[in-house]
């Protein structure tokens, strides 16, 4: 089976982990500090605070910029559930804004429109889905005009950029995930990046029990720390992130060059000057053909995935909160048409050819 995701752990990554294990310093320590420095350097921010997951990174990022009970945070309904759940963790209310059908990302025009309905919104949380940056110039402009905080969920977009400026540098604060399927991994792990010193300091405290001195705690905090073991994997991964992304981009371009002539397949789109890092390679197929295509791929040993089969307002959790009365036509249409096929850096030329020939011979 050609898998949809497959992490690549190098000898260096393994050796780093052994070194941590032999040192006896397994929890958060100098490896984490080094990882934070190198990751913020990579992205281009002044500060980084490593965490136990992308979800915990989002939670403390929101708290650190001041999101609190009753606040409205505008965000996309077409994402992983953790994006919007992190808003609920703060007692705030996610309000969904529909997506652009071509990029699958939050639509700036619809953001403007929903600000008329929610003029008191405190923040917008953008999600750079599948490895493609949102239209940050437009979104940041709207945010400035309406005095909105900007939070970036970069869980799928390590290294993605607009005109060479990387995601994670546009907003007030940003969060990344290092889950094994992402563009780089630490096993489980995440990181918050920001240029604001106070925001970084708040995150540092929030992930460490609100600790102010060795035995004193002056605020409510959590245990969301990254371990040295995770950071040891992350340091080796970070060195190879650009290579991983180059391979993803080359795989995507091979797939698009061979699939874009097929009548029933719409290949991914990236605006000029946007560096898409293809966390997922996601095509659109007519909704009445998708299930058969998945079956056909499976019969030919090619894995695929619907990411995501339900927009968040249709998830039982959100439906129970009353969101099912709302309508986001573009997110709904995307959830019926998207199909992600393998693009990860472990694919061989043979794998790519198998994927292309399987899809090209789909009887429809
Ligand atoms: C993976 C992911 C998260 C959550 O990250 P975890 O490390 O799994 O907690 C959040 N948002 C998006 C868009 C993701 O893809």
């Amino acid at each position: 089976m050609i898998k949809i995701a497959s992490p690549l752990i190098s000898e260096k990554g393994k050796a780093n982990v052994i070194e941590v294990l032999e040192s006896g310093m397994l929890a958060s320590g100098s490896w984490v500090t080094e990882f934070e420095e190198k990751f913020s350097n990579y992205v281009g921010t002044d500060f980084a605070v490593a965490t136990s997951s992308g979800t915990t990174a989002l939670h403390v990022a929101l708290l650190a910029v001041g999101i609190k009970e009753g606040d409205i945070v505008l965000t996309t309904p077409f994402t992983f559930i953790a994006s919007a759940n992190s808003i609920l963790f703060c007692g705030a209310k996610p309000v969904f804004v529909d997506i652009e059908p071509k990029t699958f990302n939050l639509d700036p025009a619809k953001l403007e429109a929903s600000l008329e309905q929610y003029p008191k919104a405190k923040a917008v949380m953008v999600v750079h889905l599948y490895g493609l940056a949102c239209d940050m110039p437009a979104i940041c402009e709207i945010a400035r005009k309406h005095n909105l905080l900007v939070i970036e969920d970069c869980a799928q977009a390590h290294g993605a950029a607009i005109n060479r400026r990387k995601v994670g540098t546009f907003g007030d604060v940003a969060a990344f995930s290092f889950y094994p399927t992402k563009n780089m991994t630490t096993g489980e792990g995440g990181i918050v990046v920001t240029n604001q010193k106070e925001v970084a300091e708040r995150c540092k405290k929030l992930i460490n029990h609100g600790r102010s001195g060795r035995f004193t705690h002056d605020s409510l905090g959590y245990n969301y720390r990254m371990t040295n073991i995770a950071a040891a994997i992350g340091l080796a991964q970070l060195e190879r992130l650009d290579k991983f992304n180059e391979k993803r981009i080359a795989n995507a371009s091979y797939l698009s060059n061979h699939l874009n002539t097929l009548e029933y397949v719409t290949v991914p789109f990236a605006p000029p000057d946007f560096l898409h890092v293809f966390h997922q390679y996601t095509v659109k197929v007519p909704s009445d053909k998708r299930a058969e295509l998945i079956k056909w791929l499976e019969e030919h040993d090619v894995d695929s995935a619907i990411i995501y089969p339900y927009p968040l307002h249709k998830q039982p959790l959100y439906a129970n909160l009353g969101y099912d009365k709302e309508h986001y036509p573009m997110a709904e249409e995307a959830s019926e048409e998207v199909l992600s096929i393998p693009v990860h850096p472990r694919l061989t030329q043979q794998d790519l050819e198998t994927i292309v020939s399987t899809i090209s011979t789909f009887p429809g």
Side-chain angles (χ1 to χ4, degrees), residues 258-267 356 358-362:
H258 290 82
L259 298 176
N260 68 3
T261 50
L262 300 178
E263 186 217 327
Y264 54 90
V265 174
T266 308
V267 300
V356 165
T358 305
I359 298 178
S360 308
T361 55
F362 175 54

Side-chain angles (χ1 to χ4, degrees), residues 238-249 345:
L238 183 57
E239 281 180 13
R240 299 198 300 157
L241 175 57
D242 283 336
K243 282 267 171 293
F244 291 162
N245 282 344
E246 281 163 27
K247 187 71 171 42
R248 284 177 183 275
I249 292 163

